[in-house]
Amino acid sequence: MSKLTALFRKALSASTSSNTSNTPKADPLEVTASNESNTPKEQTRWNGWGNININKEVSPHGAKLIKSHIGKTKKLSSVTLESVIKTVPPSRLPSALTDLEIVSTDSEVRVRHARGQSFPDWIAMHSGDFGVFPDGVALPKTTEDVEKLLALAHEHDLVVIPYGGGTSVAGHINPPEDSRPILTIAMSEMNQLIDLDKQSQIATFGAGTQGPAVESQLAKQGYRLGHFPQSWELSTLGGWIASRSSGQQSLGYGRIEQMFAGGTLVTPQGVLEIPDIPASSAGPDLREMMMGTEGRAGIFTEVKMRVQPQPEQEIFKVVFLPNWEAGQTVLRQAVQGNIRLSMLRLSNATETDAHLHLGTTRSQFLAITAYLRSRGLGSEKVMLTYGVTGEKEQNKLALSQFKQLLKKHGGVGGKIADLMGSIWAHGRFKFPYLRGTLWEKGIMVDTFETSTNWSNIDEQMAQMEAAVHNSLTHQGEQVMAFTHISHVYKQGASLYTTYFFRAGKDHASTLGRWKKIKHAASSSVANGKATISHQHGVGRDHAPYLIAEKGELGLKTTASMIESLDPEKRMNPGALLDD
Amino acid sequence: MSKLTALFRKALSASTSSNTSNTPKADPLEVTASNESNTPKEQTRWNGWGNININKEVSPHGAKLIKSHIGKTKKLSSVTLESVIKTVPPSRLPSALTDLEIVSTDSEVRVRHARGQSFPDWIAMHSGDFGVFPDGVALPKTTEDVEKLLALAHEHDLVVIPYGGGTSVAGHINPPEDSRPILTIAMSEMNQLIDLDKQSQIATFGAGTQGPAVESQLAKQGYRLGHFPQSWELSTLGGWIASRSSGQQSLGYGRIEQMFAGGTLVTPQGVLEIPDIPASSAGPDLREMMMGTEGRAGIFTEVKMRVQPQPEQEIFKVVFLPNWEAGQTVLRQAVQGNIRLSMLRLSNATETDAHLHLGTTRSQFLAITAYLRSRGLGSEKVMLTYGVTGEKEQNKLALSQFKQLLKKHGGVGGKIADLMGSIWAHGRFKFPYLRGTLWEKGIMVDTFETSTNWSNIDEQMAQMEAAVHNSLTHQGEQVMAFTHISHVYKQGASLYTTYFFRAGKDHASTLGRWKKIKHAASSSVANGKATISHQHGVGRDHAPYLIAEKGELGLKTTASMIESLDPEKRMNPGALLDD
């Protein structure tokens, strides 16, 4: 044990020093006054994830494991930013727009706002085949600016794309082919805490505020929002609301639906003020009607968020259980038993094995697997990460109740539980960086996710993994897939599947492979009792599959609601609704 | 103390014996297999509240207190059921409807489905001036029956009024004047538990199931819904969902929004199946879009509800605090501090005094006020009712944390806390019966309610009480008003004001008084940062005030959404939207 502990201490110290220097702090509890504004666009990668100063390495035996599934890989070529800039066509925006100080038609700015983080976006950004660029990017500073922009959009018949952090993995912010000029409205200048009502615990923010800037501005006053999606480093309040985001600690803090209290939505038909009332029986809830409209109904400019005092204590732990059945039983009983945890995450056996490879050195891996084997956990073992957040006395009861539950189902933690928990917490926002590292090795990675009832969890997971696993068999290609649950509810849980395949001979053939996998993946969800997305939203990539979930009538009702606010269909056409 | 305790024990034993015989058990923990179906219509009062076998007396010194505020009163006259039946006009329904076995045009049935429980409804039921009766009442047994009825409604151009328990206090189910024949669809035959998925804790019910039948059917299998609005004895699942109801234990179990997982809504445009998914980011939530549509979009036929195991333990207690400020601080700190209570209710000083009068004998009243005075609590004292529900270890922590908080703010409970808590629990669904008793004395009573942020609670309460208090001054009439908080959220709380005034010389003048008070009451809410209803819904009575909350654009968006499902505006016209 002492050797094992030492190995993990080393890993922890590595993860908190060199990799995070010069960057927004990865751990929200460490946010400081030094990063109260958004990350400047020039400090983010133009063709990949995150801050240009951050990298995350893949262990050699981790890469080897993946290749043992998918075969030998070869790196795809990448174009330069300069070469892409040269392909940007002249702007079609009228002078009424280009004359505005808040509108830029600079080619680099247009490139940097043309794509998100979906797999097709990465192919576009590395092949240089962008297709469509926005004709200009507006950076409004006030609600009135946005009103003016939408009025001009009407007057000059523009298409408008609302842009938050540009982190969509489902094609939310991609300008579509359209005969009308396209104006992307990027909300990054509206990034400040405007008001904090401490008695009602309501914070008013500019909707373009990114995760770290939200938390650092609140932390200065002793408060926290608690919304930590994987994209937290770059994604924004407005984006979270418009796409119904869910953060890693949704068990404790709730989804964005529970946090969003109201605010200002600028629509083509005028300003919709959504009142911040604690609860109401006065008809359908405007908050809930507008959340998830993905820019189709308008643009959130100022938002009122339910915040909470900084927690007295926060602890994350990692434990292992003998198998998936034991793991998911623990999750279900914990949430249905009201044990006050702030987070629960369970990797299935394949993901557990992969994470143990990817996140460790060879010697760490051998030490931990040997230790777990000595405790009776073999190849079916699953990794469970959990957290408590809040008042110490409440945490103490929650930890004691949860430990009893773990013990009953064969959980193994011990000293490594805290150490691995700390490693997870310090590295929690760095996983997206792995994608670039793997890309450089010719290993393509993508994810898809859903949620379903507990009675359907096993069946749904099996369908999802089988679907992607078999999707390229006809081409003789292997797809590696594994899954975790990261959000639990009394009724059911999320399922999040990661898959790996190898790049084709060029960008086009690689994208062709992805399209086949993606269709198989989306169909496995659409054909199940499950949602097409639990946390990524619909965007353009999932829109064709939404009908399976909402039905024809459900989609028609949604479209009618949206059309009443955007009768000219100029707001983000093609997102959400497959029109 | 022992004298006081004895007095309360006596009260408790009285409240649990004679008054509740022959009736559905008032305490949900005592529901049994004996009342698995809805209360038959003929066992409910045709012109007042509840079961014909239940009465609730008013103490003489309670009635005296009210009269000391409003003056001497005189009883209004009441017509007989027989005389009203004679006024029912011939049905305008075509034979395609009247030939159906599930449709009744019997005059008594039409009378019994013509009105709810609003003040104007009581005036109508006692004066005999009903105005409009439904032309017939359908009692569908299946979703297909409802589909067929809506198809016939389209074919024969009918107005349709969905009817649950008939408990609306805002005019939801009142047939409007219309040149089209009016068909009321009463859901009382669809009153059974259809399926229980214990793993996912999802129960599927017929939407017409009343509160006691919901709980007794679930209790047989060890489960509980936990939705206990004041109307629980008669109101239904479908009604709760359609009007966004909130129950007394919303703090523990959530509002109906948290319980409703999905289900079948039959609309004029077809069947909308709302999937029961734990959580989703796939666009606006159909559940939330349809909850609160108040029958305008369609009729819920089968509903999937999130249920929970019966609690291991449930305790209610009543304590007193020195003043309102102390009381509301305790409520706010408890909910914001995540203390796991299932219920919190705080009466202001006037309500506390009135409840102590109304719910006690003179000797009990003197004993308890003397005791509280000996503990330093005078005329500003406020009464706080709280509950814990769930697992014993969690309850223990919650009680210990809450008692600390109470102590800090001067709370006084002692032995009477448990006794008064039990009295409250056993009488919790009998308060609506008081209205009839007071009516017989010429004392008119009504309530209105809202919710607002904590930072606005005091101001809002002051505005509401002043508005009704002063509303009849120009007539030389006094209105007595008091308020409680019965639902708390981190962001704010509900405010529920009860007011008393005396009957006029006849029904018309009494209704005239009420209209003045109601307008003052509704305006005090509409002009504040508050919702026109936290738990009663909009109906026809609140519809004119909804625009203050939703804005013109918000109302237009809601109307568009609804119109896409009911383009011919035949579903419950006039409810929710003031059209």
Side-chain angles (χ1 to χ4, degrees), chain A residues 197 279-280 306 451 455 491 533, chain B residues 197 279 281 306 451 455 491 531:
Chain A
D197 172 353
S280 168
R306 294 169 181 152
S451 83
S455 55
Q491 181 183 343
S533 176
Chain B
D197 172 353
S281 67
R306 295 169 180 152
S451 83
S455 55
Q491 182 184 343
T531 173

Side-chain angles (χ1 to χ4, degrees), chain A residues 77 83 90 92 155 241 374 510 514:
Chain A
S77 65
S83 69
R92 297 174 294 170
E155 208 173 312
I241 294 163
S374 77
T510 307
W514 177 84

Side-chain angles (χ1 to χ4, degrees), chain B residues 405-420:
Chain B
L405 193 56
L406 284 171
K407 198 175 166 188
K408 194 175 148 194
H409 294 277
V412 173
K415 284 188 191 173
I416 57 164
D418 292 318
L419 278 164
M420 287 190 69

Side-chain angles (χ1 to χ4, degrees), chain B residues 204 211 276 284 309 342 344 370 383 407 470 549 578:
Chain B
T204 308
D276 62 323
S342 62
L344 274 169
M383 185 168 72
K407 198 175 166 188
N470 301 328
E549 181 171 341
D578 191 25

